[in-house]
Amino acid sequence: MLGNHLIGIYEKAMPPEIEWHERLANAALQGFDFVELSIDESDERIDRLSWSARKRGELASAMENTGVGIRSMCLSAHRRFPLGSGDASVREKAREIAGEAIRFALEFGIRVIQVAGYDVYYEPSTSQTRAAFLEGLSWFVEEAEKHQVMLAMEIMDTGFLSSITAYLKIKDAIPSPWLSVYPDIGN
């Protein structure tokens, strides 16, 4: 803890091959209060959202035994499965991932889901992809609000959401207290 603030570490700052118990124990040894979980675009990390009861139990035990929780989730899987995709089946997969992320957050006490600020990534951004993104994000925010999970839009390295000013336009369109901004100065 630094002053009044809990300090976390992004799981990708640690070796990927270690198990959760070791990852959380290492975070505690280094003085961190929590770990930020990554649900990136890889199959392995997306599959975490549908882990078996045994795998979920292992994570819960590791959190309990180490005293280190997971308080935030970096949900960048929407880079591969964007809410704004021109393909309806991809948009449906994006919503499925969003719903699973909320359920996972509820189960493990995750307070904030960091949402990548891309309408699309691997296809051209258009007025249609931006409109589809806003429609999908609006649904995501409604689901998050229903379950009291905060969504934080990450400022990204593309023109779509590259500044807090750009985020404020989204916030005007979706004025929920459960939607905030994550101003990543690295982007």
Side-chain angles (χ1 to χ4, degrees):
M1 185 177 296
L2 183 60
N4 228 10
H5 302 280
L6 297 176
I7 303 296
I9 184 170
Y10 188 33
E11 82 164 275
K12 286 187 174 182
M14 293 182 263
E17 66 277 357
I18 62 177
E19 296 295 326
W20 274 103
H21 189 276
E22 186 178 358
R23 186 173 289 128
L24 297 176
N26 285 343
L29 284 173
Q30 299 302 315
F32 292 100
D33 302 295
F34 68 93
V35 171
E36 180 173 79
L37 174 78
S38 173
I39 303 295
D40 65 18
E41 59 188 311
S42 69
D43 289 335
E44 176 188 2
R45 291 222 164 100
I46 292 171
D47 289 346
R48 289 173 166 179
L49 298 174
S50 55
W51 268 346
S52 67
R54 183 185 63 77
K55 286 290 288 182
R56 288 172 181 261
E58 288 172 6
L59 178 56
S61 291
M63 291 169 61
E64 185 176 332
N65 293 336
T66 62
V68 174
I70 298 172
R71 296 289 176 249
S72 60
M73 174 192 297
C74 179
L75 182 62
S76 54
H78 284 143
R79 191 168 148 161
R80 178 173 159 201
F81 298 102
L83 289 164
S85 177
D87 182 333
S89 66
V90 172
R91 289 192 310 273
E92 184 58 36
K93 178 68 175 177
R95 285 186 184 214
E96 178 186 315
I97 289 169
E100 289 175 345
I102 289 170
R103 287 186 291 281
F104 193 96
L106 287 171
E107 182 173 349
F108 291 102
I110 295 171
R111 308 287 191 254
V112 177
I113 297 175
Q114 182 184 321
V115 181
Y118 299 117
D119 57 335
V120 292
Y121 189 79
Y122 295 112
E123 59 187 275
S125 178
T126 66
S127 58
Q128 291 87 356
T129 63
R130 290 187 293 276
F133 173 81
L134 283 176
E135 181 183 316
L137 181 62
S138 182
W139 172 87
F140 194 5
V141 170
E142 285 177 20
E143 290 299 302
E145 184 173 337
K146 187 185 315 177
H147 298 288
Q148 299 184 334
V149 173
M150 179 66 72
L151 299 183
M153 296 295 305
E154 181 181 5
I155 302 300
M156 302 308 288
D157 54 352
T158 65
F160 178 69
L161 191 63
S162 61
S163 68
I164 293 175
T165 302
Y167 159 76
L168 290 173
K169 292 176 185 173
I170 291 173
K171 183 69 172 179
D172 284 344
I174 307 171
S176 170
W178 295 96
L179 178 64
S180 188
V181 65
Y182 179 88
D184 186 334
I185 60 172
N187 290 339

